[in-house]
Structures are given as C-alpha cells and as structure tokens.
Amino acid sequence: MARGLLARLSLDPADLPRHVAIIMDGNGRWAKKQGKPRISGHKAGVVAVREAIGTSVELGIDYLTIYSFSSENWSRPKDEVRGIMSLFVEVLAKEVRELNEQNVRVRIIGDLSSVPARTRRAFEDCCASTSANTGLTLVVALSYGARADIIAAARRCGGGEVDQDAFARELSTAGMPDPDLLIRTSGEKRLSNFLLWEAAYAELYFTDVLWPDFTRESLLEALVDYQGRSRRYGGV
Ligand code: IPE
Ligand code: IPE
Ligand code: MG
C-alpha cells in the first residue's frame, strides 16, 4: 500500500525522514473563521492528529513528535486550558485501542508536574498500555518548553566534563533520533520554544494551512518538499 502511494507521489522510500516533528498551530483561527469557540478548533485538530498518525504508520516513519501544549500555553484563559486538558482525557480513552492496533508506542516529553492529575494519569496509562509496541513512536510534547528541558538537562549533568552526546542523553528526548523534518502550520514562522537543541539540523517546512485542515495530502506534500532538500550539515 505504502509503496504504491510513494511511487504515485514520486516519493523515495529510502529517503523518508526517520523523525517528523509538528508544531500544530492554527486551531484558534480555524474556530474563529467558523464563528465557533476556540475549543472547537482544538477538537477539530484531534481529527488531523489521527490522520497524521495514520499516514506516518502507513509510511513506516519511526518517530512523530507533536507539540500539543507548550509551557507557555498555561498563560491562556483558564477556560481554554481546562477545555484542552479535558479534551486530552476524552481523546486518550477513545484512541488507545486504535493506537495499539496500529502498533504505536506513546511517549511524553514535557513537565508533567504542572499537568492536572486526571490528564497526567490518562497520558501515563496510555504510555503504559502502548509501551510494548514496536511501530511508530508517537511523542507527545505536553507542557513542553525546550529551554526548561535544556536547563533541567544541564542541572543533571552537574557541570562536569560533558560532550554533546552525554548532554543529549539528559534531555527528555534521550534515545530519539533528532527530527529530520519540522513542520509548522498556520503561517507562523517560528519555533515557539520547541525542540531547540534537537532541531539543530532539521529541515523546516512552513505551510499556511491551519492545523485542523492539515490532511494526509498536506503531510505527503511536506514530505515531497523534504525530499527536494539538500542536507549538508555544514559540509559541501
Ligand atoms: C495550536 O493552536 C494549539 C495549541 C497551542 C494548544 P492555537 O490555539 O495556537 O491556534 P491559534 O494560533 O490561536 O490560531
Ligand atoms: C505553539 O503554538 C505551541 C503549540 C502548537 C502547542 P502557539 O500558538 O502557542 O505559539 P505562539 O504563541 O504563536 O508563538
Ligand atoms: Mg497558535
């Protein structure tokens, strides 16, 4: 299935990113365009997440990291934050069976200590229930901020002789390959404190599509664009 699809798009199966990271932005603007409350944009965003997971599974991508809630997003109106935290609980309960069927392993990065207990438990249960899966690793960045993650890693390193690999092993992304492709939707062109260390050599892809409108085709388009890049890592 994936092979036929790849051929049709002239995507080279040998040159797919191992790790795709996505800043899923634009839910609020999507809702506003429809004259609906912001939370309905977040709900519509869940459908796009499901589709991105399905496409990644189908293509055999190893890691998909999704920026779901940033450490700065706590500054949003209480109602919106509460709505998002409840949405996580609702969605995880509904999706865990499908994730297991897709052989998806869920992993969380971020500061879970500030996440309400009910939401934290829902994520912990989902991670535990999917931990033996061997397909796609879905990394959910939740209450995540790269600067805080870097500071925490620096503290754990304790100031001794540290090289880059040893430092990276203290980050919450320890053991994961760096993202090859970093996508941001909604037309904003910034990193907003996402994977600052890990994305050092990521290919950046920006699209005006608002996250709830980001389909399987949108992801495939990003991959076609990625395959047109020349990754030089400072060489020639
Ligand atoms: C991204 O959409 C989702 C989260 C940050 C939780 P936004 O809610 O930021 O949508 P816009 O940027 O306001 O349109
Ligand atoms: C980044 O989006 C965080 C997530 C997508 C979860 P924001 O909407 O919070 O970023 P800014 O405020 O536009 O930089
Ligand atoms: Mg936004």
Side-chain angles (χ1 to χ4, degrees), residues 15 31 51 78 90 99 118 122 128 131 134 137-138 155 175 217 221 234:
D15 185 31
E51 193 157 322
K78 276 203 171 56
E90 206 179 294
L99 291 168
R118 209 162 62 96
S131 65
T134 54
T137 299
L138 174 69
R155 288 207 182 103
E217 280 65 39
E221 252 174 61

Side-chain angles (χ1 to χ4, degrees), residues 24-29 38 42 68-69 73 76 80 84:
M24 313 183 290
D25 198 11
N27 294 352
R29 277 162 284 173
R38 292 179 61 84
H42 299 311
S68 304
F69 195 86
N73 289 149
R76 293 191 177 196
E80 182 178 354
I84 293 173

Side-chain angles (χ1 to χ4, degrees), residues 167-188:
F167 185 76
R169 280 195 293 275
E170 299 301 331
L171 292 167
S172 62
T173 50
M176 292 165 43
D178 284 342
D180 301 292
L181 171 63
L182 193 157
I183 297 171
R184 184 169 189 149
T185 58
S186 88
E188 309 298 349

